[in-house]
Amino acid sequence: MGTVTLGVSIAVPEPYGSQLQQLRAGFGDVAAHGIPTHVTLVPPTEVEADRLAEVRAHLAEVAAAFGPFGMRLAGTGTFRPLSPVVFVQVVEGGTGCTRLQGLVRDPDGPLSRELAFPYHPHVTVAHGISEEAMDLAFATLADYAAQWTCTGFALYEQGSDGVWRKLREYPFGTGPIAGVPAQLGSPVDEAARAAGPAGETAVRRS
């Protein structure tokens, strides 16, 4: 059946998600509109396509046992020179993100993987662009602030066009995820939208 490239993340809700996405595009990051604004839980991971059902079941189990927590973004940071990334800092909710990603990447689960760097929750606003543009992103968002309650996460698949599309949302406990509509300029999986938070799209081959 081949493999698919999956990622798991916490969406930054509106209006913040679209605002940061548009700013990222404005800094010259051409990938911006293919990457909904998010806090990564599992980075791009290649998985056998026939394990998708197992992945979904695992994520549903993790989400069902987790509870909402506060998230707050403030100011900027960078991973330079180790990695060409400028990000908005997660100043509240980092502990929740760290616990959650550990459960999602359970060594005995279908999304087990080693990380290239220690886990550090953040919201990327510039990646792999010129140093001058990254400096601009760092300065422009130095006073940025946003706050919300995280009530779930989502599973995404990267298509052969490099675009990340949402496969399914996983609300914590019970009830819908609030505030995570499709962002301006981002592709929308119409099948998932029509089916609602519990809907799934057909599997796409990367």
mmCIF file of all heavy atoms in Angstrom, residues 130-180:
data_model
loop_
_atom_site.group_PDB
_atom_site.id
_atom_site.type_symbol
_atom_site.label_atom_id
_atom_site.label_comp_id
_atom_site.label_asym_id
_atom_site.label_seq_id
_atom_site.Cartn_x
_atom_site.Cartn_y
_atom_site.Cartn_z
ATOM 1 N N SER A 130 15.697 34.041 3.779
ATOM 2 C CA SER A 130 16.937 34.794 3.954
ATOM 3 C C SER A 130 17.103 35.261 5.395
ATOM 4 O O SER A 130 16.118 35.432 6.130
ATOM 5 C CB SER A 130 16.956 36.009 3.023
ATOM 6 O OG SER A 130 16.030 36.988 3.458
ATOM 7 N N GLU A 131 18.339 35.475 5.789
ATOM 8 C CA GLU A 131 18.610 35.963 7.141
ATOM 9 C C GLU A 131 17.924 37.305 7.387
ATOM 10 O O GLU A 131 17.395 37.557 8.468
ATOM 11 C CB GLU A 131 20.115 36.092 7.361
ATOM 12 C CG GLU A 131 20.850 34.773 7.432
ATOM 13 C CD GLU A 131 20.456 33.956 8.664
ATOM 14 O OE1 GLU A 131 20.167 34.556 9.726
ATOM 15 O OE2 GLU A 131 20.423 32.720 8.557
ATOM 16 N N GLU A 132 17.924 38.153 6.359
ATOM 17 C CA GLU A 132 17.281 39.462 6.505
ATOM 18 C C GLU A 132 15.784 39.317 6.755
ATOM 19 O O GLU A 132 15.205 40.012 7.599
ATOM 20 C CB GLU A 132 17.523 40.317 5.260
ATOM 21 C CG GLU A 132 18.964 40.731 5.029
ATOM 22 C CD GLU A 132 19.822 39.611 4.444
ATOM 23 O OE1 GLU A 132 19.262 38.573 4.021
ATOM 24 O OE2 GLU A 132 21.059 39.773 4.432
ATOM 25 N N ALA A 133 15.142 38.391 6.020
ATOM 26 C CA ALA A 133 13.710 38.178 6.190
ATOM 27 C C ALA A 133 13.409 37.558 7.551
ATOM 28 O O ALA A 133 12.403 37.894 8.183
ATOM 29 C CB ALA A 133 13.180 37.290 5.069
ATOM 30 N N MET A 134 14.261 36.678 8.015
ATOM 31 C CA MET A 134 14.060 36.098 9.338
ATOM 32 C C MET A 134 14.254 37.144 10.433
ATOM 33 O O MET A 134 13.532 37.159 11.438
ATOM 34 C CB MET A 134 14.968 34.891 9.548
ATOM 35 C CG MET A 134 14.474 33.656 8.794
ATOM 36 S SD MET A 134 15.263 32.106 9.273
ATOM 37 C CE MET A 134 16.857 32.312 8.468
ATOM 38 N N ASP A 135 15.212 38.037 10.233
ATOM 39 C CA ASP A 135 15.385 39.143 11.176
ATOM 40 C C ASP A 135 14.130 40.007 11.222
ATOM 41 O O ASP A 135 13.707 40.457 12.294
ATOM 42 C CB ASP A 135 16.582 40.010 10.772
ATOM 43 C CG ASP A 135 17.913 39.327 11.009
ATOM 44 O OD1 ASP A 135 17.960 38.341 11.773
ATOM 45 O OD2 ASP A 135 18.923 39.773 10.408
ATOM 46 N N LEU A 136 13.530 40.241 10.050
ATOM 47 C CA LEU A 136 12.305 41.038 9.982
ATOM 48 C C LEU A 136 11.173 40.339 10.727
ATOM 49 O O LEU A 136 10.427 40.978 11.482
ATOM 50 C CB LEU A 136 11.914 41.271 8.524
ATOM 51 C CG LEU A 136 10.601 42.029 8.289
ATOM 52 C CD1 LEU A 136 10.673 43.438 8.879
ATOM 53 C CD2 LEU A 136 10.283 42.090 6.789
ATOM 54 N N ALA A 137 11.027 39.038 10.526
ATOM 55 C CA ALA A 137 9.984 38.284 11.222
ATOM 56 C C ALA A 137 10.191 38.347 12.731
ATOM 57 O O ALA A 137 9.235 38.551 13.498
ATOM 58 C CB ALA A 137 9.994 36.826 10.753
ATOM 59 N N PHE A 138 11.426 38.204 13.151
ATOM 60 C CA PHE A 138 11.752 38.242 14.579
ATOM 61 C C PHE A 138 11.368 39.584 15.182
ATOM 62 O O PHE A 138 10.777 39.647 16.279
ATOM 63 C CB PHE A 138 13.250 37.976 14.769
ATOM 64 C CG PHE A 138 13.670 37.790 16.192
ATOM 65 C CD1 PHE A 138 13.715 36.526 16.754
ATOM 66 C CD2 PHE A 138 14.034 38.876 16.969
ATOM 67 C CE1 PHE A 138 14.105 36.348 18.074
ATOM 68 C CE2 PHE A 138 14.428 38.707 18.287
ATOM 69 C CZ PHE A 138 14.466 37.440 18.852
ATOM 70 N N ALA A 139 11.672 40.667 14.480
ATOM 71 C CA ALA A 139 11.387 42.009 14.995
ATOM 72 C C ALA A 139 9.907 42.361 14.910
ATOM 73 O O ALA A 139 9.333 42.943 15.836
ATOM 74 C CB ALA A 139 12.214 43.039 14.233
ATOM 75 N N THR A 140 9.270 41.979 13.799
ATOM 76 C CA THR A 140 7.870 42.351 13.575
ATOM 77 C C THR A 140 6.951 41.750 14.629
ATOM 78 O O THR A 140 5.985 42.400 15.066
ATOM 79 C CB THR A 140 7.416 41.875 12.180
ATOM 80 O OG1 THR A 140 8.211 42.519 11.188
ATOM 81 C CG2 THR A 140 5.948 42.203 11.933
ATOM 82 N N LEU A 141 7.244 40.531 15.054
ATOM 83 C CA LEU A 141 6.359 39.830 15.985
ATOM 84 C C LEU A 141 6.884 39.828 17.419
ATOM 85 O O LEU A 141 6.380 39.082 18.270
ATOM 86 C CB LEU A 141 6.140 38.399 15.504
ATOM 87 C CG LEU A 141 5.307 38.301 14.208
ATOM 88 C CD1 LEU A 141 5.433 36.918 13.585
ATOM 89 C CD2 LEU A 141 3.853 38.617 14.499
ATOM 90 N N ALA A 142 7.838 40.694 17.687
ATOM 91 C CA ALA A 142 8.437 40.738 19.025
ATOM 92 C C ALA A 142 7.415 41.034 20.116
ATOM 93 O O ALA A 142 7.560 40.579 21.260
ATOM 94 C CB ALA A 142 9.560 41.773 19.061
ATOM 95 N N ASP A 143 6.376 41.795 19.781
ATOM 96 C CA ASP A 143 5.350 42.140 20.763
ATOM 97 C C ASP A 143 4.053 41.356 20.557
ATOM 98 O O ASP A 143 3.006 41.704 21.125
ATOM 99 C CB ASP A 143 5.040 43.644 20.692
ATOM 100 C CG ASP A 143 6.244 44.494 21.072
ATOM 101 O OD1 ASP A 143 6.985 44.088 21.988
ATOM 102 O OD2 ASP A 143 6.448 45.554 20.441
ATOM 103 N N TYR A 144 4.109 40.303 19.760
ATOM 104 C CA TYR A 144 2.901 39.541 19.457
ATOM 105 C C TYR A 144 2.377 38.834 20.708
ATOM 106 O O TYR A 144 3.157 38.368 21.554
ATOM 107 C CB TYR A 144 3.194 38.490 18.387
ATOM 108 C CG TYR A 144 1.958 37.750 17.953
ATOM 109 C CD1 TYR A 144 1.078 38.304 17.029
ATOM 110 C CD2 TYR A 144 1.637 36.512 18.502
ATOM 111 C CE1 TYR A 144 -0.079 37.640 16.643
ATOM 112 C CE2 TYR A 144 0.490 35.835 18.122
ATOM 113 C CZ TYR A 144 -0.360 36.416 17.203
ATOM 114 O OH TYR A 144 -1.505 35.762 16.837
ATOM 115 N N ALA A 145 1.041 38.749 20.820
ATOM 116 C CA ALA A 145 0.422 38.038 21.935
ATOM 117 C C ALA A 145 -0.895 37.430 21.484
ATOM 118 O O ALA A 145 -1.636 38.023 20.698
ATOM 119 C CB ALA A 145 0.187 38.977 23.106
ATOM 120 N N ALA A 146 -1.193 36.229 21.962
ATOM 121 C CA ALA A 146 -2.461 35.546 21.687
ATOM 122 C C ALA A 146 -2.710 34.558 22.814
ATOM 123 O O ALA A 146 -1.766 34.053 23.431
ATOM 124 C CB ALA A 146 -2.414 34.825 20.342
ATOM 125 N N GLN A 147 -3.981 34.290 23.070
ATOM 126 C CA GLN A 147 -4.331 33.397 24.163
ATOM 127 C C GLN A 147 -5.614 32.645 23.833
ATOM 128 O O GLN A 147 -6.546 33.205 23.260
ATOM 129 C CB GLN A 147 -4.506 34.200 25.450
ATOM 130 C CG GLN A 147 -4.653 33.367 26.704
ATOM 131 C CD GLN A 147 -4.514 34.218 27.964
ATOM 132 O OE1 GLN A 147 -4.267 35.419 27.904
ATOM 133 N NE2 GLN A 147 -4.660 33.587 29.106
ATOM 134 N N TRP A 148 -5.682 31.361 24.169
ATOM 135 C CA TRP A 148 -6.889 30.565 23.974
ATOM 136 C C TRP A 148 -6.802 29.311 24.834
ATOM 137 O O TRP A 148 -5.777 29.052 25.477
ATOM 138 C CB TRP A 148 -7.051 30.186 22.497
ATOM 139 C CG TRP A 148 -6.121 29.135 21.971
ATOM 140 C CD1 TRP A 148 -6.354 27.787 21.887
ATOM 141 C CD2 TRP A 148 -4.791 29.324 21.465
ATOM 142 N NE1 TRP A 148 -5.261 27.132 21.352
ATOM 143 C CE2 TRP A 148 -4.296 28.059 21.083
ATOM 144 C CE3 TRP A 148 -3.978 30.446 21.300
ATOM 145 C CZ2 TRP A 148 -3.016 27.879 20.555
ATOM 146 C CZ3 TRP A 148 -2.702 30.279 20.774
ATOM 147 C CH2 TRP A 148 -2.236 29.009 20.411
ATOM 148 N N THR A 149 -7.874 28.539 24.840
ATOM 149 C CA THR A 149 -7.884 27.253 25.535
ATOM 150 C C THR A 149 -7.760 26.145 24.507
ATOM 151 O O THR A 149 -8.560 26.053 23.575
ATOM 152 C CB THR A 149 -9.188 27.064 26.339
ATOM 153 O OG1 THR A 149 -9.266 28.089 27.336
ATOM 154 C CG2 THR A 149 -9.208 25.698 27.025
ATOM 155 N N CYS A 150 -6.750 25.313 24.673
ATOM 156 C CA CYS A 150 -6.556 24.179 23.771
ATOM 157 C C CYS A 150 -7.520 23.070 24.176
ATOM 158 O O CYS A 150 -7.503 22.615 25.327
ATOM 159 C CB CYS A 150 -5.115 23.680 23.852
ATOM 160 S SG CYS A 150 -4.803 22.205 22.866
ATOM 161 N N THR A 151 -8.369 22.633 23.255
ATOM 162 C CA THR A 151 -9.375 21.604 23.546
ATOM 163 C C THR A 151 -9.219 20.357 22.674
ATOM 164 O O THR A 151 -10.107 19.508 22.640
ATOM 165 C CB THR A 151 -10.785 22.183 23.362
ATOM 166 O OG1 THR A 151 -10.905 22.728 22.040
ATOM 167 C CG2 THR A 151 -11.070 23.258 24.385
ATOM 168 N N GLY A 152 -8.093 20.265 21.958
ATOM 169 C CA GLY A 152 -7.871 19.084 21.133
ATOM 170 C C GLY A 152 -6.724 19.290 20.169
ATOM 171 O O GLY A 152 -6.046 20.319 20.187
ATOM 172 N N PHE A 153 -6.520 18.316 19.314
ATOM 173 C CA PHE A 153 -5.459 18.371 18.312
ATOM 174 C C PHE A 153 -5.975 17.718 17.043
ATOM 175 O O PHE A 153 -7.127 17.272 16.978
ATOM 176 C CB PHE A 153 -4.180 17.696 18.821
ATOM 177 C CG PHE A 153 -4.365 16.259 19.223
ATOM 178 C CD1 PHE A 153 -4.294 15.229 18.294
ATOM 179 C CD2 PHE A 153 -4.600 15.926 20.552
ATOM 180 C CE1 PHE A 153 -4.456 13.903 18.655
ATOM 181 C CE2 PHE A 153 -4.769 14.590 20.934
ATOM 182 C CZ PHE A 153 -4.697 13.585 19.985
ATOM 183 N N ALA A 154 -5.150 17.669 16.006
ATOM 184 C CA ALA A 154 -5.597 17.108 14.728
ATOM 185 C C ALA A 154 -4.483 16.325 14.057
ATOM 186 O O ALA A 154 -3.293 16.554 14.291
ATOM 187 C CB ALA A 154 -6.097 18.213 13.799
ATOM 188 N N LEU A 155 -4.905 15.398 13.200
ATOM 189 C CA LEU A 155 -4.004 14.591 12.369
ATOM 190 C C LEU A 155 -4.002 15.185 10.969
ATOM 191 O O LEU A 155 -5.057 15.459 10.404
ATOM 192 C CB LEU A 155 -4.483 13.149 12.327
ATOM 193 C CG LEU A 155 -3.755 12.190 11.374
ATOM 194 C CD1 LEU A 155 -2.318 11.969 11.821
ATOM 195 C CD2 LEU A 155 -4.508 10.862 11.283
ATOM 196 N N TYR A 156 -2.812 15.378 10.411
ATOM 197 C CA TYR A 156 -2.655 15.942 9.068
ATOM 198 C C TYR A 156 -1.851 14.991 8.196
ATOM 199 O O TYR A 156 -1.020 14.223 8.687
ATOM 200 C CB TYR A 156 -1.922 17.286 9.128
ATOM 201 C CG TYR A 156 -2.691 18.389 9.807
ATOM 202 C CD1 TYR A 156 -2.720 18.483 11.192
ATOM 203 C CD2 TYR A 156 -3.395 19.341 9.065
ATOM 204 C CE1 TYR A 156 -3.424 19.499 11.832
ATOM 205 C CE2 TYR A 156 -4.097 20.361 9.688
ATOM 206 C CZ TYR A 156 -4.120 20.428 11.063
ATOM 207 O OH TYR A 156 -4.828 21.415 11.689
ATOM 208 N N GLU A 157 -2.092 15.079 6.883
ATOM 209 C CA GLU A 157 -1.292 14.344 5.907
ATOM 210 C C GLU A 157 -0.707 15.319 4.900
ATOM 211 O O GLU A 157 -1.395 16.233 4.442
ATOM 212 C CB GLU A 157 -2.131 13.304 5.167
ATOM 213 C CG GLU A 157 -1.304 12.506 4.153
ATOM 214 C CD GLU A 157 -2.143 11.518 3.359
ATOM 215 O OE1 GLU A 157 -3.260 11.199 3.789
ATOM 216 O OE2 GLU A 157 -1.670 11.083 2.292
ATOM 217 N N GLN A 158 0.560 15.120 4.565
ATOM 218 C CA GLN A 158 1.209 15.941 3.547
ATOM 219 C C GLN A 158 1.030 15.283 2.192
ATOM 220 O O GLN A 158 1.408 14.134 1.983
ATOM 221 C CB GLN A 158 2.689 16.114 3.858
ATOM 222 C CG GLN A 158 3.381 17.103 2.923
ATOM 223 C CD GLN A 158 4.843 17.269 3.265
ATOM 224 O OE1 GLN A 158 5.530 16.310 3.605
ATOM 225 N NE2 GLN A 158 5.327 18.503 3.191
ATOM 226 N N GLY A 159 0.443 16.035 1.261
ATOM 227 C CA GLY A 159 0.236 15.519 -0.081
ATOM 228 C C GLY A 159 1.497 15.581 -0.918
ATOM 229 O O GLY A 159 2.519 16.154 -0.521
ATOM 230 N N SER A 160 1.423 15.017 -2.101
ATOM 231 C CA SER A 160 2.576 15.028 -3.010
ATOM 232 C C SER A 160 2.910 16.446 -3.465
ATOM 233 O O SER A 160 4.009 16.694 -3.961
ATOM 234 C CB SER A 160 2.281 14.140 -4.231
ATOM 235 O OG SER A 160 1.110 14.576 -4.899
ATOM 236 N N ASP A 161 1.963 17.382 -3.286
ATOM 237 C CA ASP A 161 2.205 18.784 -3.618
ATOM 238 C C ASP A 161 2.841 19.554 -2.471
ATOM 239 O O ASP A 161 3.048 20.765 -2.555
ATOM 240 C CB ASP A 161 0.895 19.471 -4.032
ATOM 241 C CG ASP A 161 -0.198 19.343 -2.971
ATOM 242 O OD1 ASP A 161 0.061 18.737 -1.900
ATOM 243 O OD2 ASP A 161 -1.321 19.843 -3.216
ATOM 244 N N GLY A 162 3.146 18.856 -1.375
ATOM 245 C CA GLY A 162 3.779 19.493 -0.229
ATOM 246 C C GLY A 162 2.812 20.156 0.730
ATOM 247 O O GLY A 162 3.229 20.681 1.768
ATOM 248 N N VAL A 163 1.518 20.136 0.418
ATOM 249 C CA VAL A 163 0.508 20.800 1.237
ATOM 250 C C VAL A 163 0.011 19.858 2.334
ATOM 251 O O VAL A 163 -0.237 18.673 2.094
ATOM 252 C CB VAL A 163 -0.675 21.261 0.359
ATOM 253 C CG1 VAL A 163 -1.808 21.807 1.213
ATOM 254 C CG2 VAL A 163 -0.201 22.316 -0.632
ATOM 255 N N TRP A 164 -0.138 20.415 3.545
ATOM 256 C CA TRP A 164 -0.659 19.649 4.665
ATOM 257 C C TRP A 164 -2.170 19.810 4.737
ATOM 258 O O TRP A 164 -2.681 20.928 4.773
ATOM 259 C CB TRP A 164 -0.029 20.121 5.967
ATOM 260 C CG TRP A 164 1.394 19.686 6.106
ATOM 261 C CD1 TRP A 164 2.508 20.393 5.736
ATOM 262 C CD2 TRP A 164 1.860 18.451 6.628
ATOM 263 N NE1 TRP A 164 3.642 19.670 5.997
ATOM 264 C CE2 TRP A 164 3.270 18.469 6.554
ATOM 265 C CE3 TRP A 164 1.220 17.325 7.163
ATOM 266 C CZ2 TRP A 164 4.048 17.407 6.984
ATOM 267 C CZ3 TRP A 164 1.997 16.270 7.606
ATOM 268 C CH2 TRP A 164 3.392 16.312 7.512
ATOM 269 N N ARG A 165 -2.891 18.689 4.761
ATOM 270 C CA ARG A 165 -4.351 18.692 4.826
ATOM 271 C C ARG A 165 -4.829 17.908 6.046
ATOM 272 O O ARG A 165 -4.300 16.838 6.339
ATOM 273 C CB ARG A 165 -4.941 18.097 3.542
ATOM 274 C CG ARG A 165 -4.626 18.924 2.293
ATOM 275 C CD ARG A 165 -5.172 18.267 1.035
ATOM 276 N NE ARG A 165 -4.951 19.108 -0.130
ATOM 277 C CZ ARG A 165 -3.839 19.085 -0.875
ATOM 278 N NH1 ARG A 165 -2.850 18.263 -0.554
ATOM 279 N NH2 ARG A 165 -3.718 19.881 -1.922
ATOM 280 N N LYS A 166 -5.815 18.462 6.701
ATOM 281 C CA LYS A 166 -6.338 17.828 7.910
ATOM 282 C C LYS A 166 -7.141 16.584 7.577
ATOM 283 O O LYS A 166 -8.032 16.602 6.733
ATOM 284 C CB LYS A 166 -7.211 18.829 8.671
ATOM 285 C CG LYS A 166 -7.749 18.299 9.984
ATOM 286 C CD LYS A 166 -8.334 19.412 10.831
ATOM 287 C CE LYS A 166 -9.457 20.134 10.114
ATOM 288 N NZ LYS A 166 -9.996 21.242 10.925
ATOM 289 N N LEU A 167 -6.821 15.481 8.258
ATOM 290 C CA LEU A 167 -7.561 14.238 8.099
ATOM 291 C C LEU A 167 -8.672 14.106 9.137
ATOM 292 O O LEU A 167 -9.769 13.662 8.826
ATOM 293 C CB LEU A 167 -6.629 13.031 8.220
ATOM 294 C CG LEU A 167 -5.564 12.859 7.135
ATOM 295 C CD1 LEU A 167 -4.781 11.569 7.390
ATOM 296 C CD2 LEU A 167 -6.171 12.841 5.748
ATOM 297 N N ARG A 168 -8.351 14.492 10.382
ATOM 298 C CA ARG A 168 -9.340 14.321 11.437
ATOM 299 C C ARG A 168 -8.954 15.142 12.661
ATOM 300 O O ARG A 168 -7.773 15.318 12.948
ATOM 301 C CB ARG A 168 -9.465 12.853 11.824
ATOM 302 C CG ARG A 168 -10.569 12.573 12.827
ATOM 303 C CD ARG A 168 -10.827 11.091 12.964
ATOM 304 N NE ARG A 168 -11.913 10.835 13.898
ATOM 305 C CZ ARG A 168 -12.422 9.635 14.136
ATOM 306 N NH1 ARG A 168 -11.953 8.573 13.489
ATOM 307 N NH2 ARG A 168 -13.405 9.470 15.000
ATOM 308 N N GLU A 169 -9.957 15.652 13.364
ATOM 309 C CA GLU A 169 -9.753 16.348 14.626
ATOM 310 C C GLU A 169 -10.012 15.394 15.787
ATOM 311 O O GLU A 169 -10.878 14.508 15.696
ATOM 312 C CB GLU A 169 -10.685 17.556 14.730
ATOM 313 C CG GLU A 169 -10.406 18.629 13.685
ATOM 314 C CD GLU A 169 -11.407 19.768 13.748
ATOM 315 O OE1 GLU A 169 -12.356 19.682 14.575
ATOM 316 O OE2 GLU A 169 -11.254 20.731 12.994
ATOM 317 N N TYR A 170 -9.285 15.596 16.876
ATOM 318 C CA TYR A 170 -9.423 14.764 18.065
ATOM 319 C C TYR A 170 -9.655 15.650 19.283
ATOM 320 O O TYR A 170 -8.710 16.142 19.894
ATOM 321 C CB TYR A 170 -8.174 13.897 18.256
ATOM 322 C CG TYR A 170 -8.003 12.890 17.156
ATOM 323 C CD1 TYR A 170 -7.329 13.221 15.982
ATOM 324 C CD2 TYR A 170 -8.556 11.615 17.263
ATOM 325 C CE1 TYR A 170 -7.198 12.303 14.955
ATOM 326 C CE2 TYR A 170 -8.429 10.690 16.240
ATOM 327 C CZ TYR A 170 -7.753 11.043 15.093
ATOM 328 O OH TYR A 170 -7.635 10.123 14.070
ATOM 329 N N PRO A 171 -10.923 15.877 19.641
ATOM 330 C CA PRO A 171 -11.213 16.703 20.821
ATOM 331 C C PRO A 171 -10.878 15.961 22.103
ATOM 332 O O PRO A 171 -11.009 14.735 22.179
ATOM 333 C CB PRO A 171 -12.720 16.961 20.706
ATOM 334 C CG PRO A 171 -13.228 15.807 19.917
ATOM 335 C CD PRO A 171 -12.138 15.421 18.966
ATOM 336 N N PHE A 172 -10.445 16.708 23.112
ATOM 337 C CA PHE A 172 -10.186 16.106 24.411
ATOM 338 C C PHE A 172 -11.504 15.685 25.057
ATOM 339 O O PHE A 172 -12.496 16.414 24.982
ATOM 340 C CB PHE A 172 -9.491 17.098 25.337
ATOM 341 C CG PHE A 172 -8.127 17.528 24.873
ATOM 342 C CD1 PHE A 172 -7.688 18.827 25.096
ATOM 343 C CD2 PHE A 172 -7.281 16.645 24.231
ATOM 344 C CE1 PHE A 172 -6.430 19.226 24.693
ATOM 345 C CE2 PHE A 172 -6.017 17.035 23.816
ATOM 346 C CZ PHE A 172 -5.594 18.337 24.049
ATOM 347 N N GLY A 173 -11.503 14.557 25.712
ATOM 348 C CA GLY A 173 -12.693 14.104 26.401
ATOM 349 C C GLY A 173 -13.852 13.967 25.436
ATOM 350 O O GLY A 173 -13.798 13.203 24.483
ATOM 351 N N THR A 174 -14.885 14.765 25.644
ATOM 352 C CA THR A 174 -16.033 14.773 24.754
ATOM 353 C C THR A 174 -16.358 16.198 24.360
ATOM 354 O O THR A 174 -15.979 17.146 25.033
ATOM 355 C CB THR A 174 -17.271 14.159 25.436
ATOM 356 O OG1 THR A 174 -17.566 14.912 26.633
ATOM 357 C CG2 THR A 174 -17.028 12.714 25.810
ATOM 358 N N GLY A 175 -17.079 16.365 23.255
ATOM 359 C CA GLY A 175 -17.486 17.688 22.802
ATOM 360 C C GLY A 175 -16.635 18.161 21.649
ATOM 361 O O GLY A 175 -15.546 17.640 21.393
ATOM 362 N N PRO A 176 -17.102 19.167 20.906
ATOM 363 C CA PRO A 176 -16.415 19.647 19.713
ATOM 364 C C PRO A 176 -15.211 20.514 20.024
ATOM 365 O O PRO A 176 -15.104 21.084 21.103
ATOM 366 C CB PRO A 176 -17.491 20.476 18.996
ATOM 367 C CG PRO A 176 -18.327 20.997 20.130
ATOM 368 C CD PRO A 176 -18.362 19.884 21.145
ATOM 369 N N ILE A 177 -14.294 20.604 19.052
ATOM 370 C CA ILE A 177 -13.176 21.530 19.143
ATOM 371 C C ILE A 177 -13.654 22.903 18.694
ATOM 372 O O ILE A 177 -14.234 23.036 17.624
ATOM 373 C CB ILE A 177 -11.999 21.077 18.263
ATOM 374 C CG1 ILE A 177 -11.448 19.742 18.778
ATOM 375 C CG2 ILE A 177 -10.894 22.109 18.234
ATOM 376 C CD1 ILE A 177 -10.326 19.191 17.949
ATOM 377 N N ALA A 178 -13.394 23.910 19.496
ATOM 378 C CA ALA A 178 -13.828 25.260 19.133
ATOM 379 C C ALA A 178 -12.698 26.037 18.484
ATOM 380 O O ALA A 178 -11.543 25.895 18.850
ATOM 381 C CB ALA A 178 -14.298 26.004 20.391
ATOM 382 N N GLY A 179 -13.047 26.850 17.499
ATOM 383 C CA GLY A 179 -12.111 27.845 16.977
ATOM 384 C C GLY A 179 -11.017 27.334 16.089
ATOM 385 O O GLY A 179 -9.931 27.902 16.101
ATOM 386 N N VAL A 180 -11.231 26.280 15.305
ATOM 387 C CA VAL A 180 -10.180 25.834 14.399
ATOM 388 C C VAL A 180 -10.717 25.702 12.976
ATOM 389 O O VAL A 180 -10.628 24.656 12.366
ATOM 390 C CB VAL A 180 -9.528 24.508 14.858
ATOM 391 C CG1 VAL A 180 -8.676 24.726 16.068
ATOM 392 C CG2 VAL A 180 -10.584 23.438 15.146
#
